[in-house]
Amino acid sequence: MTLHQLYVALFIGGLVLLVSIAATRLATGVGLPSLLLFLGVGVLVGEDGLGLQFDNAQLAQDLGTAALAIILVEGGLTTRFSDIRKVLAPAGVLATVGVGVSTVLTAAAVHWILGMDWQLALLLGAVVSSTDAAAVFSVLRVVPLPRRLSGLLEAESGFNDAPAVILVLLFSATPLDLDPWVIAGTMLYELAIGTAIGLGFGFLGASALRRIALPSAGLYPLAIFGLCMVAFAAAGSVHGSGFLAAYLSGVVLANSGLPHRSATRSFAEGSGWLAQIGVFVILGLLVSPDELLDEVVPAIVAGLVLLLLARPLSVVVSLIGFKVPWREQLFLSWGGLRGAVPIVLCTYPIVAGVPDSWRLLNIVFILVVLYTVIQGPSLRLVAEWLHLIPRDATREVQVDAAPLDVLGAELLTMTVLPGSRLHNVTVLELRLPDPSVITLIIRAGQPFVPERVTRLQIGDELMIVTTTATRDLAERRLRAVSRRGKLAYWFDEYGDQA
């Protein structure tokens, strides 16, 4: 690649990224998972659009697998264990037994209705059997469900990628081996190894990071994310479930009380968005729109079977004995969103050389688009119809996190270092410019809200909220007092940059 070609590639890549980010804003406004517009960007740039040719299924599989690992790491790092602790058992059964039931029912239906070959039918059933973590997380952020129900959906979407991948790999083998003992043994081994490695890396990594003081706060998110990716690769290298290891290590690390959790969460979310954009655009490039029309009817049939038969029965069978109310079971049946995972999984049989596997990609692409258009905007309506969202707004306060720039605010952090004359200065004597305020002080690892008479001490970590307009004045005042004390202005010290 010449230098000019590199510039062109970076320009196109950056432009696609910006267009995809703009599409995310649009998708949020209309209530659709943004994956739909990401796929559209890929199709638009492809050979039937702007003419970029891409048919490398192996590269798409490699990049898609890496992207799914990043998405699952992001899901783990943004999951609160308190939200899923009580639903781990039903989520685990949904992610294993539910995937198996959905696979068998979907495969049998498309085989008998569409006359599809058994191997292709089983692959289709396995590919669409798992819900998509990215799609579920993006939609549930705007649907205020009961904590138990949202936790169950999120945990299922984090767990069920692993069984689906195992089934797809088994069904892609030639000759096809449908021995139930082989399938069950392989599933048990890979899930057990993935669980052990994920939990092991999570707990050991958390223990190590508590004992190691990294020289920069920005290194903590990198270290945590790196640990999760190492867990993914380690599990995969011994034929365990890397996806399960990535998710579990993320959950453990996120809930271990490590420092800079907010920065880690932001880094994980940004990485997850980048992975989603990349994988969806690549998958959009891989599809040829002129070949999709022939597969519309099979896709609609498979989608209806999945939506009205396979998914509801898998939920009912999996939740027997867990006393999940019927309203929540209905929502779980409807809320099983599909996204990147099924389309990425379609590349596995293509790379393995399974006959007609390109047809499978086209069917699943259409099915995912239809699911997204129908299910995404309807989830809130279905939840309200089932009385899962309180109608009285006073019964539950909806609290959300807003970017500070939307509020015209800035969050500053600083540490009172040895030798600083901020030591022993009270909050009142600091006289930050209005409307700046110290909202939190962390002293010896213990956070507290300061009062006007609170005296700063060496080692204190300060969190200061100010406005964009007064940020510079606040920083200058902090530097001035740190250099000359509370009477800094008497010494003509105004905190200019050194």
Side-chain angles (χ1 to χ4, degrees):
M1 177 182 290
T2 66
L3 189 59
H4 175 71
Q5 290 174 325
L6 175 62
Y7 289 149
V8 172
L10 290 175
F11 176 80
I12 294 174
L15 188 61
V16 169
L17 178 62
L18 293 174
V19 171
S20 300
I21 292 173
T24 302
R25 182 67 185 88
L26 176 62
T28 302
V30 299
L32 289 175
S34 46
L35 69 91
L36 187 61
L37 296 183
F38 296 159
L39 287 172
V41 171
V43 172
L44 178 64
V45 176
E47 57 183 304
D48 290 341
L50 299 181
L52 181 61
Q53 294 187 353
F54 181 81
D55 58 1
N56 191 332
Q58 180 67 67
L59 180 59
Q61 175 186 305
D62 294 341
L63 294 176
T65 300
L68 289 182
I70 293 173
I71 291 170
L72 283 171
V73 170
E74 185 258 342
L77 291 176
T78 55
T79 295
R80 291 183 176 88
F81 184 71
S82 59
D83 291 344
I84 66 171
R85 179 172 57 86
K86 295 182 179 179
V87 295
L88 286 176
V93 177
L94 268 174
T96 50
V97 174
V99 165
V101 171
S102 181
T103 298
V104 171
L105 291 177
T106 303
V110 297
H111 172 71
W112 289 323
I113 297 174
L114 301 176
M116 189 177 290
D117 173 78
W118 266 117
Q119 184 176 25
L120 206 63
L122 285 168
L123 280 168
L124 178 59
V127 161
V128 300
S129 63
S130 70
T131 57
D132 184 77
V136 168
F137 293 154
S138 65
V139 171
L140 290 185
R141 288 188 184 108
V142 296
V143 182
L145 295 173
R147 182 171 297 182
R148 168 191 167 92
L149 181 56
S150 62
L152 183 53
L153 267 173
E154 291 183 10
E156 180 202 5
S157 66
F159 293 150
N160 64 11
D161 289 348
V165 171
I166 295 169
L167 290 177
V168 169
L169 290 173
L170 287 172
F171 296 152
S172 297
T174 303
L176 184 63
D177 186 358
L178 296 180
D179 186 339
W181 293 107
V182 172
I183 295 175
T186 302
M187 183 85 70
L188 182 61
Y189 169 80
E190 294 202 20
L191 294 180
I193 293 297
T195 299
I197 290 179
L199 294 177
F201 270 87
F203 286 116
L204 290 176
S207 178
L209 287 174
R210 288 194 196 98
R211 291 170 169 78
I212 299 174
L214 298 178
S216 171
L219 293 176
Y220 282 92
L222 290 174
I224 291 172
F225 209 85
L227 280 167
C228 296
M229 294 305 293
V230 170
F232 167 74
S237 66
V238 293
H239 304 290
S241 174
F243 293 116
L244 186 58
Y247 180 73
L248 289 177
S249 60
V251 172
V252 171
L253 287 165
N255 294 273
S256 297
L258 296 176
H260 308 292
R261 176 172 177 175
S262 178
T264 300
R265 184 185 180 96
S266 296
F267 179 82
E269 289 178 345
S271 301
W273 275 113
L274 184 60
Q276 289 181 56
I277 292 172
V279 70
F280 290 136
V281 171
I282 288 173
L283 295 174
L285 282 169
L286 195 62
V287 171
S288 298
D290 58 346
E291 298 176 0
L292 295 178
L293 291 178
D294 294 336
E295 307 298 347
V296 171
V297 173
I300 292 176
V301 171
L304 289 175
V305 168
L306 181 63
L307 184 64
L308 302 179
L309 177 65
R311 173 66 180 179
L313 283 180
S314 69
V315 169
V316 171
V317 170
S318 300
L319 297 182
I320 291 175
F322 287 109
K323 297 181 180 180
V324 178
W326 68 267
R327 288 188 179 89
E328 294 187 4
Q329 292 194 38
L330 280 176
F331 187 85
L332 287 168
S333 300
W334 185 260
L337 296 173
R338 270 63 184 177
V341 176
I343 305 178
V344 171
L345 292 184
C346 286
T347 63
Y348 285 72
I350 293 175
V351 173
V354 176
D356 286 336
S357 49
W358 278 99
R359 182 189 177 199
L360 187 68
L361 174 66
N362 294 329
I363 291 174
V364 172
F365 184 90
I366 297 171
L367 187 151
V368 167
V369 170
L370 292 177
Y371 252 71
T372 301
V373 171
I374 294 171
Q375 280 187 292
S378 67
L379 282 182
R380 187 181 185 96
L381 295 176
V382 172
E384 290 177 347
W385 176 66
L386 292 172
H387 303 292
L388 296 174
I389 299 178
R391 293 185 179 276
D392 185 356
T394 62
R395 289 171 57 189
E396 185 171 350
V397 177
Q398 300 300 324
V399 180
D400 199 0
L404 289 175
D405 59 344
V406 173
L407 305 175
E410 303 265 354
L411 178 62
L412 309 180
T413 61
M414 65 160 293
T415 302
V416 181
L417 300 174
S420 171
R421 294 192 177 181
L422 284 167
H423 177 69
N424 212 35
V425 173
T426 68
V427 171
L428 177 62
E429 291 170 336
L430 187 56
R431 290 188 297 161
L432 290 175
D434 190 55
S436 304
V437 62
I438 300 177
T439 59
L440 195 69
I441 294 179
I442 301 175
R443 180 175 293 167
Q446 297 298 318
F448 64 93
V449 177
E451 299 179 356
R452 300 176 72 186
V453 294
T454 299
R455 294 186 178 275
L456 305 182
Q457 296 182 11
I458 298 297
D460 283 354
E461 295 181 59
L462 313 182
M463 297 183 65
I464 305 157
V465 175
T466 185
T467 64
T468 303
T470 57
R471 171 178 175 169
D472 183 61
L473 291 175
E475 291 185 5
R476 292 178 63 183
R477 177 60 181 169
L478 289 167
R479 285 194 295 267
V481 177
S482 180
R483 294 169 184 170
R484 302 302 297 269
K486 57 189 175 184
L487 298 179
Y489 291 167
W490 287 84
F491 298 103
D492 293 326
E493 173 60 70
Y494 296 98
D496 295 328
Q497 289 277 10

